[in-house]
Amino acid sequence: VERLLAYESVRMLDRDVRGPEFLSQLIVFRSLARDFLVRSEEIIPADKGTAALACLRNDFRQAVQLAENVLRIKLKKLGEAIVG
């Protein structure tokens, strides 16, 4: 299920489609990326990994941070629209 949601989210982003489910998919995609980071560090600790793995983890951390910022902005706009 998680892979399907991630695939659909990426497909929507590639096609620049922003349907009503986009926000929930963004939340799921961010959660999957964060879980990847945690699990990868459980399997291979940072001090035992390669430089390439450290680079990949850094990229994912930045992507998760960016997604959190985007989500925060979207939720703020949604709240403002509801309150009016």
Side-chain angles (χ1 to χ4, degrees):
V1 173
E2 290 176 346
R3 285 185 183 186
L4 179 61
L5 288 171
Y7 173 78
E8 286 300 313
S9 297
V10 170
R11 186 180 62 79
M12 289 176 72
L13 286 171
D14 284 346
R15 294 183 179 173
D16 200 29
V17 175
R18 300 293 188 335
E21 68 280 358
F22 180 73
L23 184 59
S24 59
Q25 287 180 326
L26 181 63
I27 293 168
V28 169
F29 196 73
R30 183 194 65 180
S31 177
L32 289 172
R34 185 181 298 127
D35 287 348
F36 167 79
L37 282 171
V38 170
R39 290 179 184 167
S40 73
E41 290 172 352
E42 289 172 353
I43 295 168
I44 304 172
D47 62 338
K48 307 241 188 243
T50 64
L53 181 58
C55 184
L56 177 66
R57 286 178 176 160
N58 185 51
D59 288 349
F60 263 83
R61 276 188 201 94
Q62 290 180 4
V64 168
Q65 184 62 47
L66 179 63
E68 287 174 355
N69 291 341
V70 169
L71 179 60
R72 191 176 306 115
I73 292 167
K74 287 189 174 295
L75 289 175
K76 181 180 177 188
K77 287 181 180 180
L78 180 62
E80 289 170 352
I82 291 171
V83 172

